[in-house]
Amino acid sequence: MVIEFHLDGQSGISPYQQIVTQVRHALRLGLLREGDQLPTVKDVVSRLAINPNTVSKAYRELEHAGLVTARAGVGTFVTATMSEDTLAAQRSLRAGLERWLAKARRSGLDEETIEALFQSTVRSSAVQDIA
């Protein structure tokens, strides 16, 4: 799978951090697997019109975290991934979440409200787990 990066200039999050987060999410969701190649710095720069140092910084951070490795003249490759057990558990949970989303839409909630409700619930649940 080839990941396509997308930047949100309104998010307040630096472009390099958005790239790092997108790779981490793709790994968590099983969209990127060990051995997959990330887009070259040149490809990302041409697609997103950002500074090559921004992409390099993101890739270095991912490499420092042990998630990817750079091979000189070849590219950057995924070296770590989620376990199959974790991915299997996610499939079941995803199906339940998709049913919940469909119910929320049928109830008349728009995407922004659904996202706000979800994020608020995740945060309050995390606080309850700590207490």
Side-chain angles (χ1 to χ4, degrees), residues 28 82-96:
R28 283 187 180 97
M82 301 291 287
S83 74
E84 286 302 317
D85 293 340
T86 302
L87 294 173
Q90 284 183 18
R91 282 189 282 278
S92 172
L93 293 168
R94 182 182 196 100

Side-chain angles (χ1 to χ4, degrees), residues 2-56:
V2 175
I3 188 170
E4 287 191 27
F5 298 117
H6 305 276
L7 297 180
D8 179 357
Q10 307 300 315
S11 72
I13 299 170
S14 67
Y16 100 89
Q17 192 60 53
Q18 289 183 52
I19 291 171
V20 169
T21 299
Q22 288 173 43
V23 170
R24 287 179 176 272
H25 285 182
L27 288 168
R28 283 187 180 97
L29 297 173
L31 302 174
L32 282 175
R33 302 232 181 231
E34 191 170 336
D36 285 348
Q37 184 174 5
L38 296 183
T40 65
V41 171
K42 183 179 177 181
D43 288 344
V44 177
V45 166
S46 67
R47 189 175 180 293
L48 299 179
I50 60 174
N51 189 306
N53 292 332
T54 300
V55 182
S56 295

